[in-house]
Amino acid sequence: MRAWWALLPALFLAALPLAAQEAPPKVGFIRLINAVAPGTGNAHLEIDGEDQYPKGYKLGQRTGGIGLLAGSKKVTVKRDGAETGTTSVTVGVGETVSLIAFAEKVPAKDDEPEKWEIKILRLKQRDAESGYRLTVISVNRDPETLFALAREGVEEKEASSVKRLRTTTIDLGKQAGDIGIFLRNAETPLTLFRPDAAGNYVVVLYDDVDGSVKAVSYYDPKFVIAG
């Protein structure tokens, strides 16, 4: 009689075809941009009740893509001094859902005082078929923000604008050097970045604690999940 451990190699080899047939997990991503100015302390992101980073996120901080199994997710953003914001999102395979958390003032009514309430805005992911593209979105308090785009190698800035809770899309062409985003007629840039790969780049305009306009930028590529 053969010892039982002598059968292990055969059992392992027999299991290999079964393992190879298993499909890879269907994964998507969520990215948070924290633009919640009112309140105290850091903002916290919970997905299906789980705090993604117990230390929390500072104002103007963004996460990378947080990998999750694709499907419906309950998303909650909290910050002391502001009413909690909650939304539901469906994460597709290979998709990155960008969520911009900001706060809106709720006027006083009856016996309730004025307060701030966190809102969560979903930015639909866009895939540039070729070349470079810029998407600018505003959650700051101004109904419309006038800005200018400075490009490497171009002497004049390009004037543009974006309405609150809306996007403005700018085609950057087939090549893109250093990019600067300025408030109209301002000398100091809100953000500077260099597109290293073709695709969609995003700039989020938001209010700082003192009401001044700030910006955060990031690259928003689509991923192909092998399988």
Side-chain angles (χ1 to χ4, degrees), residues 2 5 9 29 32 55 65 72 75 87 104 130 132 153 156 166 183 193-194 198 205 209-210 224 226:
R2 298 175 63 187
W5 55 82
F29 307 87
L32 176 72
K55 289 185 178 180
S72 179
V75 176
T87 190
E104 285 195 334
S130 61
Y132 299 76
E156 295 293 329
R166 296 290 185 269
L183 287 179
F193 59 96
R194 183 178 184 85
L205 304 179
V209 292
D210 61 0
V224 177

Side-chain angles (χ1 to χ4, degrees), residues 2 4-5 23 39-40 81 83 93 112 114 116 133 138 166 196 208:
R2 298 175 63 187
W4 64 269
W5 55 82
T40 57
E83 193 102 346
V93 178
E112 293 185 13
E114 179 182 88
W116 289 94
R133 180 168 56 190
S138 170
R166 296 290 185 269
D196 292 323
D208 202 356

Side-chain angles (χ1 to χ4, degrees), residues 96-113:
T96 301
V97 180
S98 291
L99 300 176
I100 305 170
F102 63 103
E104 285 195 334
K105 186 179 290 185
V106 179
K109 60 179 180 179
D110 299 331
D111 295 332
E112 293 185 13

Side-chain angles (χ1 to χ4, degrees), residues 27 34 39 43-44 65-66 75 132 151 182 187 204 213 223:
V27 177
N34 176 27
H44 290 264
I66 299 172
V75 176
Y132 299 76
R151 305 193 200 194
F182 297 73
E187 296 298 325
V204 179
V213 179
F223 297 97

Side-chain angles (χ1 to χ4, degrees), residues 3 11 42 52 69 90 130 136-138 190-191 201 203 212 225:
L11 292 173
N42 293 337
Q52 298 300 303
L69 291 178
T90 299
S130 61
V136 181
I137 183 168
S138 170
L190 294 173
T191 183
Y201 292 79
V203 170
S212 60
I225 306 299

Side-chain angles (χ1 to χ4, degrees), residues 28-33 45-49 52 66-77 85-93 95-101 119-125:
F29 307 87
I30 283 179
R31 174 192 292 112
L32 176 72
I33 299 92
L45 169 66
E46 293 182 0
I47 301 176
D48 290 340
Q52 298 300 303
I66 299 172
L68 306 161
L69 291 178
S72 179
K73 309 294 177 184
K74 180 182 178 182
V75 176
T76 301
V77 178
T86 301
T87 190
S88 294
V89 299
T90 299
V91 181
V93 178
E95 177 187 20
T96 301
V97 180
S98 291
L99 300 176
I100 305 170
K119 301 289 186 179
I120 303 174
L121 180 66
R122 174 177 174 173
L123 181 60
K124 184 177 181 181
Q125 190 170 35

Side-chain angles (χ1 to χ4, degrees), residues 150 157 181-190 192:
K157 295 176 184 175
I181 302 295
F182 297 73
L183 287 179
R184 195 80 59 85
N185 300 322
E187 296 298 325
T188 303
L190 294 173
L192 291 169

